[in-house]
Amino acid sequence: MRAIVQHTFGGPEVLRLEEVDQPVPLPSELLVRVKAIGVNPVEPLIRSGRFKLLGEPPFVLGWDVSGVVEHVVPGTSRFQEGDEVFGMPFFPRGAGAYAEYVAAPNRHFARKPASITHAQAAALPMAGLTAWQALAEVADVGPGERVLVHAGAGGVGHLAIQIAKTRGAHVVATASAAKHDFVRGVGADEVIDYRTVDFAETAKDMDVAFDLIGGEYADRSLATLRPGGLLVTAIDRMDAALAERTRAAGFRFAGISVEPDYVGLEAMAALAEEGRLRPHVGRVLPLADAAAAHELSESGRATGKIVLEP
């Protein structure tokens, strides 16, 4: 099968299309013929060597997949051959999803919603589960609560807005002016241009601030919270000093790291079938153009998600 392999750390040019052995599934696993692959911001960091999550090369990047079950051992799975599925297998261990086939545990997948394409389904798992686990599970956002979402036009952000809205929240999002229409279109009640307006002075009485940028954004977000409010960060989740500052200021702190979760996938699939959750695919590229996908991801100009198709 074809896969994108890198043999050294470096720029996007280290991503090479090669022929590799097709994975062989274990009895409890599915062999999935990949139709689409979501590209996530963590992958360029791993490729470059700035974040050595997978150790030393060679390896195949990628986790988000949507495809068709090619093989399953009868009686060992929730699926049958021919079922359309999507998921984020193995994260943070390697899944090798930049490829034509993936083998992974059946409980790392859910049935693909019929109402969305494979490209949309591949855009959903990592970004969607990050938002779902942060807002629906950790924060348990409820009706009438005020939620601040940073990077509202991004892969996680645009899904976080929609998930918060399905739970009855009032959502304030930050985004550049050029992306305000898009962010309002996915449900944000208020949008702040972070380039011209200080969100820490504008967004007030938030029950939850969801940080997807890191650095000063987390600390500045504290000024937006009501007493007892919650800062959730997917970036500075291991920052003990930030957690201490947050609690000392009278707020709650939660650092999250996404993990495979078929229950969360099924919950999002149900929302997608109801038309209440739509992953936005900003660009679809052939698998062979993985380097171009990484260049676009690192540029910061992407809206929604970037997807590869074998």
Side-chain angles (χ1 to χ4, degrees):
M1 71 171 187
R2 299 183 308 156
I4 297 293
V5 184
Q6 69 174 89
H7 295 273
T8 184
F9 293 122
E13 72 279 356
V14 302
L15 300 174
R16 306 287 182 85
L17 186 66
E18 298 182 4
E19 288 288 333
V20 302
D21 292 337
Q22 183 174 301
V24 178
L26 297 173
S28 62
E29 295 183 333
L30 306 177
L31 179 66
V32 176
R33 178 161 44 89
V34 177
K35 292 289 190 178
I37 306 139
V39 176
N40 293 288
V42 70
E43 290 148 20
L45 293 174
I46 298 169
R47 182 215 69 226
S48 70
R50 286 175 287 170
F51 182 32
K52 295 185 178 181
L53 182 66
L54 300 181
E56 297 292 320
F59 49 68
V60 176
L61 284 169
W63 285 273
D64 281 352
V65 297
S66 182
V68 179
V69 177
E70 185 87 355
H71 176 73
V72 62
V73 176
T76 65
S77 172
R78 298 148 50 233
F79 304 106
Q80 298 179 352
E81 292 173 6
D83 285 347
E84 294 185 324
V85 296
F86 75 117
M88 183 197 70
F90 291 120
F91 190 83
R93 299 182 186 276
Y98 286 14
E100 292 181 315
Y101 290 89
V102 167
N106 83 85
R107 288 183 179 270
H108 289 189
F109 293 94
R111 283 180 170 77
K112 182 187 82 66
S115 59
I116 63 176
T117 66
H118 279 290
Q120 289 175 306
L124 188 54
M126 186 177 289
L129 283 174
T130 300
W132 180 265
Q133 290 167 4
L135 299 181
E137 297 179 1
V138 173
D140 191 21
V141 169
E145 292 193 327
R146 293 172 58 81
V147 177
L148 173 64
V149 176
H150 287 301
V156 177
H158 85 288
L159 295 170
I161 291 168
Q162 295 177 69
I163 288 169
K165 291 302 295 181
T166 67
R167 300 177 67 83
H170 179 94
V171 179
V172 180
T174 61
S176 63
K179 297 178 179 179
H180 280 203
D181 287 345
F182 170 76
V183 174
R184 288 192 183 94
V186 297
D189 298 287
E190 302 176 46
V191 189
I192 298 171
D193 182 358
Y194 64 89
R195 293 177 176 171
T196 61
V197 177
D198 183 355
F199 73 84
E201 295 293 332
T202 306
K204 295 297 181 182
D205 298 318
M206 295 292 145
D207 294 281
V208 180
F210 188 21
D211 172 38
L212 297 166
I213 300 175
E216 64 172 350
Y217 269 75
D219 276 298
R220 291 172 60 206
S221 295
L222 298 181
T224 71
L225 292 171
R226 64 164 178 77
L230 173 66
L231 172 66
V232 183
T233 177
I235 307 298
D236 294 324
R237 58 188 178 275
M238 303 294 288
D239 190 334
L242 172 63
E244 184 177 345
R245 290 194 300 273
T246 301
R247 295 180 182 120
F251 308 116
R252 294 170 293 142
F253 175 88
I256 67 157
S257 181
V258 69
E259 58 185 304
D261 174 18
Y262 80 90
V263 176
L265 290 174
E266 288 177 344
M268 292 190 296
L271 292 175
E273 291 287 35
E274 295 168 2
R276 303 172 70 196
L277 181 63
R278 277 292 180 272
H280 176 76
V281 177
R283 189 78 178 273
V284 178
L285 295 168
L287 179 62
D289 289 346
H294 275 220
E295 289 173 357
L296 180 58
S297 177
E298 291 178 295
S299 75
R301 298 191 304 270
T303 299
K305 291 294 297 288
I306 303 163
V307 171
L308 297 171
E309 291 184 341

